[in-house]
Amino acid sequence: RPGSTLHFDFPVIETGSIDGLVTRDDDSPIGGMRLELVNEKGEVIMTADTAYDGFYSFEFVPPGTYTVRADPSY
């Protein structure tokens, strides 16, 4: 209603993103490659596929140390 203030509690979670480009030795892009984002414990946190131009992006990544690798089962 007009003139009243509402109070809402909601969590704020710090995240980031990791992106990059996958290319061959001759700098040509590799599209359609499945990638894994792996944490320090060796757990796969997320997967992503490269676009036609080799670009990939992992969104909403919690703070930490990660490795990006090709999915060995793909």
Side-chain angles (χ1 to χ4, degrees), residues 31-48:
M33 176 181 272
R34 171 76 40 94
L35 301 174
E36 296 178 335
L37 185 64
V38 182
N39 67 11
E40 291 179 304
K41 297 177 185 176
E43 302 166 330
V44 176
I45 302 301
M46 297 178 194
T47 61

Side-chain angles (χ1 to χ4, degrees):
R1 67 175 213 214
S4 66
T5 302
L6 300 175
H7 178 78
F8 293 100
D9 289 324
F10 60 93
V12 176
I13 301 170
E14 183 179 352
T15 64
S17 64
I18 298 171
D19 58 39
L21 190 66
V22 178
T23 61
R24 294 179 177 83
D25 288 339
D26 64 359
D27 290 332
S28 61
I30 301 176
M33 176 181 272
R34 171 76 40 94
L35 301 174
E36 296 178 335
L37 185 64
V38 182
N39 67 11
E40 291 179 304
K41 297 177 185 176
E43 302 166 330
V44 176
I45 302 301
M46 297 178 194
T47 61
D49 294 332
T50 59
Y52 72 95
D53 60 355
F55 181 78
Y56 67 89
S57 181
F58 294 99
E59 299 291 328
F60 306 109
V61 179
T65 301
Y66 299 95
T67 300
V68 176
R69 70 178 184 198
D71 183 343
S73 66
Y74 193 68

